[in-house]
Amino acid sequence: MEEIAVALSAEGIQKKVISPGRGQLSAFADGTKVKFHYRTSLLDGTVLDDSRMEECHCKPMELIMGKKFKLPVWERIVTTMKEGEISEFTCDTKHTALYPLVSQSLRNIRAGKDPLEGQRHCCGIAQIHSHHSSGHHDLDELQATPKPLVFTLELLQVLETGTFQLDTWAMTDEEKMEAVPQIHEQGNALFKQGDVVGAGENYYNAIACLKNLQMKERAGDEHWIKLDVLMTPLLLNYCQCKLMQGQFYEVLDHCSSLISKYDDNVKAYFKRGKAHAAVWNKKEARADFARVVELDPSLAPSVARELRAMEERIRGKEEEEKGRYKNLFGDNATATTG
């Protein structure tokens, strides 16, 4: 272990073992998957990111060795750790310049956004020297003035090649295209079993594969359009899951995006109408349902049921509010006469 510390020090990395871990050091051959929790902080102790925090969903980081991760120093330092080990690595600026971009991607993923949202289509070094805001003040500051960072890692698990299913982000373009139908079917199976959350995650992963491929194409080109067509039913399925989970505003966003491209998509109008009804947008809901019937008259009975349900909910809400105000004024009257 002393030899490792000396080698790291020569590379501008200082390692401090907090808890030694167990077993032997793994070989970490290319294709090995590692799972670890991380905390990133400045030298003064200011925490930038912590995978154990609630806003990070307490989800550990996963890396596939040899896949040229955007922050090479994480691959380097994790290979010096045993399973269960907790260590602190203080890394010189030369190792941390790309951290703002990595952190932005991770924060986007946690927020359910595209990992590359807000990043320009250029190499990492070019992005460092651009003045484009990441949308996070702490990351903008770090990008403008790179600093040494302290990475505190807990290595949870090391999985050898062939013992796990490859995550979508680690796939090649060909693997992504092959995986999409399989992930779609897995989502459908989970949905039929009543696992709406699991189904939604599968649909999201399949969309992420196609979105990643689409970003490499020129918008509007033939292949870009083919990918968009493949993405549409997945996005509609994802919206159905979100409807059932009560995440109506996300449904509004996604369906509006679909409608802006495909003005005759009946399912997008129907789902958006239901989302509008759920958040009391009566006028917008009626407009969407009217468009559904216009596009497909056979759906008139279904639309009529949705409209009746919306009107009943509205009446129920109005009665509840009347009762609330009545009790409020009744209490005030009692207090006054008393």
Side-chain angles (χ1 to χ4, degrees), residues 22-40:
R22 59 186 177 274
Q24 300 296 313
L25 196 64
S26 298
F28 295 102
D30 284 355
T32 300
K33 183 182 197 176
V34 293
K35 295 185 180 183
F36 59 91
H37 275 299
Y38 66 93
R39 183 174 69 244
T40 304

Side-chain angles (χ1 to χ4, degrees), residues 38 75 118 141 196 239 249 259 314:
Y38 66 93
E75 283 199 37
E141 196 173 280
V196 176
C239 285
Y249 289 102
I259 290 167
I314 291 170

Side-chain angles (χ1 to χ4, degrees), residues 21 101 108 139 158 163 215 229 235 241 246 252 257 276 285 318:
L101 300 180
N108 282 345
L139 300 183
V158 179
T163 63
M215 290 180 72
V229 169
L235 191 52
C241 293
L252 291 176
S257 176
H276 274 310
E318 289 172 347

Side-chain angles (χ1 to χ4, degrees), residues 5 155-156 164 187 202 220 222 255 268 271 290 308 329 333:
L155 183 58
L156 302 173
F164 60 90
N202 274 269
E222 183 181 355
C255 287
K271 293 180 194 305
R308 281 196 300 271
F329 290 124

Side-chain angles (χ1 to χ4, degrees), residues 211 228 231-232 235 239 250-263 265 268 272:
K211 193 74 173 176
D228 209 59
M231 210 181 305
T232 298
L235 191 52
C239 285
E250 188 172 352
V251 175
L252 291 176
D253 287 343
H254 289 310
C255 287
S256 294
S257 176
L258 279 175
I259 290 167
S260 70
K261 293 182 289 186
Y262 308 106
D263 189 44
N265 193 302
R272 192 174 73 170

Side-chain angles (χ1 to χ4, degrees), residues 199-220:
E201 289 176 353
N202 274 269
Y203 297 140
Y204 178 85
N205 288 337
I207 292 165
C209 283
L210 294 171
K211 193 74 173 176
N212 181 272
L213 294 170
Q214 194 183 48
M215 290 180 72
K216 299 174 183 178
E217 305 292 334
R218 187 185 296 276

Side-chain angles (χ1 to χ4, degrees), residues 261-282:
K261 293 182 289 186
Y262 308 106
D263 189 44
D264 60 348
N265 193 302
V266 179
K267 291 183 179 179
Y269 277 108
F270 193 84
K271 293 180 194 305
R272 192 174 73 170
K274 292 187 69 168
H276 274 310
V279 296
W280 312 105
N281 296 339
K282 295 184 287 183

